[in-house]
């Protein structure tokens, strides 16, 4: 599925800050949205998820305006995970938390338990299935919020800083899940600060700065423009910085 | 710089009520003259519990059963809490909730600890200005703390704690919300402090640069400790992230000339290994 | 008097521990937000005592009473000036919830219903004289007041009509709040319960 | 420094005593006209402060309520005898309407005096004043933090609503559905708020908020005759209270 932006303008009431994007195509595959604190990533994220609809311009999903979607239809097609996992849990167990998602979207009962088991296994939470979500560690709560997005198998999935607070094995797990979904043709957008991870795993980037899209395209093309990286107040991948400091050629970006 | 610190943990265990597993198991270590101690490990390793012990908030405020003996410099965080707390600065995991929430400006927030200590208002102003500059908050001094971004709030939480020049700093993942620039500023500052620092972080690259001691924890136990160099070269499991320096050097076969088999963990060592490889 | 369930947490002890001091503003905040949220959903309940309920459950009857009192005083000084007089009702609600909770009345579904009934009666008994003094017996909620007008029109004594007006509104509200509070309490992670219950 | 409005020259405690004093006075005064004269004067003073939008907001609910009281009491008050108006089949009686108007004037007196307090006193001002009066910061904190917790909780509420909307909760008409919607919103809200409160409670102790050396911050305004006002108003309140009791006994 394609997510397209056309002449988008948005600002919160009584605030100066405006998010602008003239043209943006989000194709199937894995895309990262990067930029410094306060660049407008989270706002664009909510707009793309169809949660904020008071904008000017158009956002379409396969040519259909996102505004016209019914709520459940939108939720079935687009999954979102916010930065703080604690914004969403209210069921008495991890299993029920994932199940609720499916019931909400009216997935047939038979399929529900199958899906829940599979998703918990995929996110390595099977052992905690019966626990109160709030008794999990922060890293596992974060995984659980990702699991609730994965459960209905949305064609488009958006994640706000999914790697923050994850420990190393979980980061690798999540990274692996994203890549797998992207290969299957899902449209995955991930907000991240971590250019090390982006350079290694994400082929497409959208770079935000002061509410505007500074760059959208291949990760490699962005990383080959050090001035642009500097302008967006980000740091090149550590490996690049190290090799440059040593005075040798940095390794080629694969993506 | 020579640091005059003394850290003793002897058979310390911690259990939380209604938890099946102890959060900290038989933790023992004895160290002197350390400056920055980095605490690393995966989720449920016991890092936050350790921070609460070091801050003295466990068992005083956080409910838990603590056994064993521990001491930092001349103080026991448990028995000498009042005196000890006066010497420490603590940044909790959820830094934005650590702010008072009732100050109207960033400057007031930075002044809070100083006002509590009864310091003269002239001095307060001076100290607030200095610490704001240190953490890039000068332009935000008149803003409301609520208006700051996550990364800025974290910087504010740190700044409002170090404004009293504590002798001991305890920080639980203090940079999680910061962007790369903010992180760079923070770790650069950390290196300059004269305090004894305990810091948990997933930023192994930065820790390898600044820490002179690393504690590797897993499931409540101390798995290994020593310099970052020693720990990362001894413990090569893929379950622990290694510094990019180490990964790069390993890939390129750049070993350190001193022992001919270990890989560098920080830039200085990397240069050394690189030049040694070039020479041979 | 011996009571096992309260041995760890003396019912009547109120030291203004830092935990209690932060619990009270939170309770007031929950009252406010829950009320605003119920209004937004156009539900026929107020939910304005949810925070007081939770404070009583976590911090004991006195913490609940102080939360209720503070709630109404702050309300009257910020949003609705007349709510100050109902602080007496809120104190009573806080005390009652705390006592009933300590005696295990919030453990089963049936007990919760009974507890809600007791709380609604107490709340209405205390509010009625206040309604009569200040509002001639009305509550300001249209359908409650319609009943009031009908009853008084049929020559029922004002205090009976006023009590029924108040009680009708209270009972539904308190049932919903009691179930909601019990459910939320059950969901709370252990670390929070032991933090706010800890006596220092 | 900007010039102070006349009401800012009084300290918070004086203002609170004034609310109590005028509220009691409206209960003691039996005459409808005098009561409404008092309301009228207070109303003019309230307008002089400015902040008209919040005045309108605070008055609109009271006025609506007074209207319902006039209707209900006018129709069914047990003391009704003298017919005042007749609208279709509804008879409004003088006694009931007068009773409602009396209650209404008391309500408005309290609402308007409280408005002075709300419109002219900041939370910081209250906090500093209380602390300067020797109240421990701990207790001051309890009161002031309520005012600051609300915006924070509203922000949390907003974020939680977004997160749950992303998971597919919508708006449905049925009451049962709307009752069910309380759980996904209120559970995370309470847990998150309590969690933040726990962190804050720990942090405040780490930051030595109860250190006896803490210096109260200087007052924001210089107040006129604070002590004198307190005594004067306290005496007035006692006298008015006494009068009310006496009037009740007389009946």
């Amino acid at each position: 599925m394609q997510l397209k932006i056309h002449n988008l303008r948005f600002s919160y009431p009584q605030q100066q800050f405006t998010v602008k994007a003239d043209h943006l195509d989000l194709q199937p595959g894995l895309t990262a949205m990067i930029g410094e604190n306060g660049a407008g990533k989270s706002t664009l994220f909510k707009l793309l998820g169809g949660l904020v609809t008071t904008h000017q311009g158009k956002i379409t999903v396969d040519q259909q305006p996102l505004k016209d979607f019914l709520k459940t239809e939108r939720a079935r097609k687009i999954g979102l995970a916010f930065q703080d996992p604690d914004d969403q849990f209210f069921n008495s167990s991890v299993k029920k938390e994932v199940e609720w998602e499916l019931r909400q979207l009216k997935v047939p009962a038979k399929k529900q338990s199958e899906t829940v088991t599979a998703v918990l296994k995929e996110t390595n939470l099977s052992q905690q299935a019966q626990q109160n979500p709030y008794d999990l560690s922060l890293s596992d709560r974060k995984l659980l919020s990702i699991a609730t997005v994965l459960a209905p198998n949305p064609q488009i999935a958006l994640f706000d800083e999914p790697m923050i607070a994850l420990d190393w094995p979980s980061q690798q797990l999540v990274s692996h899940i994203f890549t797998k979904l992207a290969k299957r043709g899902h449209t995955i957008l991930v907000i991240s600060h971590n250019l090390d991870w982006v350079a290694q795993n994400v082929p497409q980037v959208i770079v935000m700065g002061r509410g505007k899209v500074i760059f959208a395209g291949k990760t490699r093309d962005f990383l080959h423009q050090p001035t642009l990286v500097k302008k967006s107040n980000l740091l090149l991948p550590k490996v690049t910085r190290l090799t440059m400091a040593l005075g040798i050629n940095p390794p080629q970006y694969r993506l | 710089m020579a640091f005059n610190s003394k850290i003793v943990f002897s058979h310390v265990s911690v259990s939380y009520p209604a938890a099946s597993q102890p959060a900290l198991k038989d933790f023992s270590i004895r160290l002197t003259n350390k400056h920055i101690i980095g605490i690393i490990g995966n989720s449920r390793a016991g890092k936050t519990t350790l921070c609460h012990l070091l801050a003295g908030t466990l068992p005083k405020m956080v409910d838990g059963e603590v056994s064993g003996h521990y001491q930092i410099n001349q103080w026991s965080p448990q028995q000498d809490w009042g005196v000890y707390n006066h010497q420490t600065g603590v940044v909790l995991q959820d830094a934005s909730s650590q702010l008072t929430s009732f100050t109207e400006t960033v400057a007031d927030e930075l002044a809070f600890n100083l006002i509590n200590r009864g310091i003269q208002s002239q001095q307060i102003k001076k100290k607030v200005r200095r610490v704001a500059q240190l953490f890039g908050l000068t332009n935000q001094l008149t803003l409301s703390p609520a208006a700051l971004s996550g990364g800025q709030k974290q910087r504010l939480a740190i700044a409002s704690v170090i404004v009293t020049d504590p002798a001991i700093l305890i920080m639980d993942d203090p940079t999680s919300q910061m962007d790369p620039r903010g992180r760079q500023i923070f770790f650069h500052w950390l290196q300059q402090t004269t305090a004894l620092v305990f810091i948990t972080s997933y930023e192994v690259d930065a820790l390898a640069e600044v820490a002179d001691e690393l504690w590797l924890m897993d499931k409540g136990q101390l798995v290994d400790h020593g310099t970052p160099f020693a720990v990362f070269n001894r413990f090569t499991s893929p379950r622990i992230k290694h510094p990019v320096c180490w990964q790069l050097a390993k890939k390129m076969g750049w070993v350190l000339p001193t022992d001919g088999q270990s890989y560098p963990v920080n830039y200085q060592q990397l240069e050394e290994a690189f030049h040694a490889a070039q020479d041979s | 008097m011996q009571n096992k369930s309260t041995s760890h947490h003396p019912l009547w002890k109120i030291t203004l521990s830092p935990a209690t001091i932060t619990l009270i503003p939170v309770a007031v905040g929950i009252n406010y937000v829950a009320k605003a949220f119920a209004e937004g959903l156009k539900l026929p309940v107020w939910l304005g005592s949810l925070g007081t309920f939770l404070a009583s459950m976590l911090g004991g009857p006195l913490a609940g009473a102080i939360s209720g009192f503070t709630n109404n005083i702050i309300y009257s000084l910020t949003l609705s000036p007349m709510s100050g007089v109902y602080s007496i009702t809120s104190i009573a609600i806080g005390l009652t919830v705390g006592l009933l909770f300590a005696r295990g009345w919030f453990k089963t579904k049936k007990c919760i219903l009974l507890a809600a009934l007791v709380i609604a009666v107490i709340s209405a008994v205390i509010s009625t004289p206040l309604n009569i003094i200040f509002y001639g017996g009305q509550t300001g909620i249209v359908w409650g007041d319609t009943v009031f007008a009908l009853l008084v029109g049929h020559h029922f004594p004002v205090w009976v009509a006023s009590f029924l007006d108040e009680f009708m509104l209270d009972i539904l509200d308190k049932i919903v709040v009691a179930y909601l509070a019990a459910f939320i309490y059950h969901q709370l992670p252990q670390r929070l319960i032991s933090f706010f219950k800890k006596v220092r | 420094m900007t010039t102070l409005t006349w009401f800012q020259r009084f300290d918070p405690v004086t203002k609170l005593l004034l609310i109590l004093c005028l509220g009691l006075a409206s209960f003691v005064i039996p005459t409808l006209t005098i009561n409404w004269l008092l309301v009228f004067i207070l109303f003019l003073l309230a307008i002089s402060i400015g902040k008209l939008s919040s005045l309108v907001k605070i008055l609109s609910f009271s006025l609506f309520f007074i209207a319902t009281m006039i209707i209900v009491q006018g129709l069914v008050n047990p003391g009704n005898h003298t017919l005042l108006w007749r609208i279709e089949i509804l008879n409004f009686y003088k006694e009931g309407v007068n009773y409602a108007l009396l209650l209404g004037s008391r309500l408005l007196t309290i609402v308007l005096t409280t408005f002075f307090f709300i419109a002219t006193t900041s939370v910081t001002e209250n906090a500093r004043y209380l602390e300067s009066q020797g109240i421990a910061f701990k207790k001051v904190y309890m009161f002031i933090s309520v005012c600051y917790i609300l915006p924070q909780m509203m922000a949390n509420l907003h974020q939680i609503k977004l997160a749950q909307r992303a998971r597919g909760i919508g708006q449905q008409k049925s009451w049962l559905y709307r009752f069910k919607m309380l759980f996904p919103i209120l559970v995370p809200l309470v847990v998150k708020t309590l969690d933040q409160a726990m962190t804050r409670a720990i942090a405040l102790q780490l930051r030595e908020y109860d250190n006896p050396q803490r210096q109260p911050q200087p007052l924001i305004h210089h107040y006129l005759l604070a002590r004198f006002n307190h005594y004067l108003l306290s005496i007035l309140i006692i006298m008015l209270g006494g009068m009310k009791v006496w009037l009740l006994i007389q009946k």
Side-chain angles (χ1 to χ4, degrees), chain B:
Chain B
M1 257 190 288
F3 281 87
N4 232 337
S5 57
K6 189 174 142 218
I7 298 145
V8 178
F9 275 84
S10 129
H11 306 290
V12 178
S13 295
V14 175
S15 302
Y16 292 120
S20 53
Q21 293 281 318
L24 208 63
K25 272 181 275 189
D26 200 26
F27 189 94
S28 293
I29 202 166
R30 185 178 286 272
L31 294 167
T32 50
N33 304 333
K34 295 295 175 200
H35 175 205
I36 297 175
I37 296 167
I39 303 166
I40 60 169
N42 291 328
S43 146
R44 294 259 182 221
K47 303 187 299 284
T48 295
T49 301
L50 198 53
C51 283
H52 276 304
L53 271 185
L54 287 165
T57 41
L58 179 85
K60 185 175 159 57
M61 302 165 214
V62 178
D63 218 1
E65 220 165 280
V66 181
S67 63
H69 162 80
Y70 52 103
Q71 193 180 330
I72 311 297
N73 293 349
Q74 66 267 43
W75 301 288
S76 152
Q78 202 173 339
Q79 272 124 43
D80 318 324
W81 193 75
V83 191
Y84 176 72
N85 186 43
H86 207 66
Q87 307 293 326
T88 60
V90 182
V91 179
L92 299 166
Q93 198 174 29
D94 179 6
S96 62
S97 301
Q98 155 162 11
L99 304 176
T100 56
S101 85
F102 55 76
T103 49
E104 282 179 0
T105 64
V106 166
D108 287 349
E109 183 71 38
L110 290 171
F112 184 68
N113 289 23
L114 300 169
I115 293 169
N116 291 344
R117 290 176 182 216
I119 288 166
Q120 293 298 311
S121 60
Q122 274 309 310
Q123 270 222 302
I124 291 180
K125 272 192 190 139
K126 223 163 64 187
K127 283 180 186 248
V128 164
R129 229 176 294 134
R130 198 201 49 172
V131 84
Q133 202 181 6
L134 222 46
F135 281 87
L137 292 165
T138 308
N139 293 333
Q140 281 78 25
L141 277 175
T142 54
L143 293 182
S144 155
L148 303 183
S149 73
Q152 285 173 324
K153 275 185 191 159
Q154 241 171 355
R155 272 188 275 153
L156 175 59
I158 298 166
S160 56
V161 151
I162 62 139
V163 72
T164 55
D165 297 313
I168 300 164
L169 275 172
I170 298 135
M171 304 177 149
D172 194 356
D173 205 3
T175 62
S176 58
Q177 309 268 322
M178 291 185 200
D179 57 18
R181 290 271 173 208
R183 245 170 233 165
Q184 219 179 19
I185 296 169
F186 169 78
F187 279 106
H188 181 75
W189 165 82
L190 195 64
Q191 223 168 358
Q192 320 288 318
T193 57
T194 53
L196 165 64
V197 180
F198 297 90
I199 175 173
T200 80
S201 178
Y202 290 124
E203 297 294 313
V204 288
D205 293 280
L207 287 183
E209 293 286 345
V210 303
D212 56 353
E213 169 82 11
L214 214 55
W215 296 353
L216 174 60
M217 316 259 309
D218 190 37
K219 300 195 176 94
Q221 281 173 312
L222 183 65
V223 178
D224 195 3
H225 79 97
T227 61
F229 174 75
V231 170
F232 285 122
N233 277 297
R234 263 201 300 263
F235 199 87
T236 52
S237 153
R239 276 180 53 78
I240 292 298
K241 192 188 176 193
H242 279 69
V244 177
C245 270
W246 188 89
Q247 292 177 41
L248 175 68
K250 193 175 180 213
K251 211 171 194 173
M252 305 300 287
W254 300 338
V255 288
L256 275 168
T258 36
D259 65 356
Q261 54 174 4
S262 305
Y263 299 108
V265 298
N266 59 33
Y267 183 70
Q268 202 190 340
Q269 292 170 1
L270 182 75
E271 246 183 348
E272 219 175 293
F274 171 69
H275 290 304
Q278 298 277 302
D279 294 343
S280 63

Side-chain angles (χ1 to χ4, degrees), chain D residues 12-240:
Chain D
V13 173
T14 300
K15 292 182 202 174
L16 287 174
L17 288 173
L18 200 64
I19 296 175
L20 207 60
C21 194
L22 285 171
L24 265 172
S26 73
F27 271 87
V28 173
I29 303 167
T31 335
L32 205 54
T33 27
I34 300 182
N35 256 316
W36 280 96
L37 192 67
L38 178 65
V39 170
F40 183 68
I41 295 167
L42 288 173
F43 180 69
L44 289 183
L45 290 175
I47 290 178
S48 78
I49 282 175
K51 302 205 179 178
L52 288 180
S53 66
S54 62
L55 179 63
V56 168
K57 219 161 113 190
I58 222 163
L59 279 180
S60 56
F61 176 74
S62 317
L63 290 175
F64 169 76
F65 195 20
I66 291 169
T68 70
M69 283 201 294
I70 291 174
I71 295 171
V72 173
Q73 298 295 344
L75 286 172
V76 299
N77 187 295
N80 282 346
H81 282 298
T82 329
L83 189 66
L84 199 60
W85 326 292
R86 201 188 164 94
I87 303 169
E88 301 287 324
I89 53 159
L90 298 175
N91 295 329
F92 285 88
Y93 293 92
K94 194 180 168 193
E95 288 78 7
V97 171
N98 279 350
Y99 180 51
L101 283 174
L102 182 67
L103 291 176
S105 71
R106 290 172 183 168
L107 179 68
L108 286 178
T109 305
I110 297 174
V111 168
L112 286 169
T113 41
T114 312
F115 170 78
F116 293 137
F117 184 85
I118 298 170
T120 60
T121 325
S122 74
V123 183
T124 314
E125 184 183 353
N126 285 334
R128 291 194 181 178
Y129 187 76
L130 290 175
E131 215 185 334
S132 78
Q133 298 299 299
I135 295 173
F137 179 67
K138 262 178 153 182
K139 287 172 191 146
V140 176
Y141 165 76
M142 203 168 78
F143 281 95
I144 60 170
S145 68
V146 176
C147 305
Y148 290 104
I149 215 168
L150 286 180
Q152 196 188 352
M153 284 187 71
M154 289 312 252
N156 284 347
L157 177 72
H158 175 73
Q159 191 58 39
I160 290 166
K161 273 186 183 167
L162 272 184
Q164 302 297 35
R165 222 188 300 153
R167 299 174 76 189
I169 71 166
Q171 279 155 338
Q172 278 182 27
K173 294 265 152 62
S174 84
W175 274 10
L176 184 68
Y177 185 82
R178 280 186 275 158
F179 269 116
K180 275 188 180 170
M181 283 312 95
L182 291 174
F183 292 89
I185 306 292
L186 291 179
V187 174
L189 182 73
V190 171
V191 177
K192 196 170 177 168
T193 311
L194 285 174
D195 224 347
Q196 288 173 339
M198 177 171 93
T199 308
R200 189 162 304 124
I202 294 172
L204 282 172
Q205 294 173 78
L206 288 167
R207 298 178 73 179
E208 301 185 45
Y209 82 129
D210 50 358
N211 190 327
Q213 282 176 330
R214 185 184 155 87
Q215 298 279 321
Q217 290 305 93
L219 294 172
I220 291 179
H221 305 310
H222 179 71
Y223 300 117
L224 285 175
L225 304 168
R227 180 142 307 174
F228 172 75
N229 286 336
H230 295 176
Y231 283 126
L232 182 72
L233 288 168
S234 304
I235 291 167
L236 268 175
I237 287 168
I238 293 167
M239 278 169 58
L240 285 167

Side-chain angles (χ1 to χ4, degrees), chain B residues 17 59-63, chain C residues 8 190 194-195 198 200:
Chain B
K60 185 175 159 57
M61 302 165 214
V62 178
D63 218 1
Chain C
H8 173 65
Q190 187 59 43
S194 54
F195 181 81
K198 195 171 174 185
R200 272 161 294 251

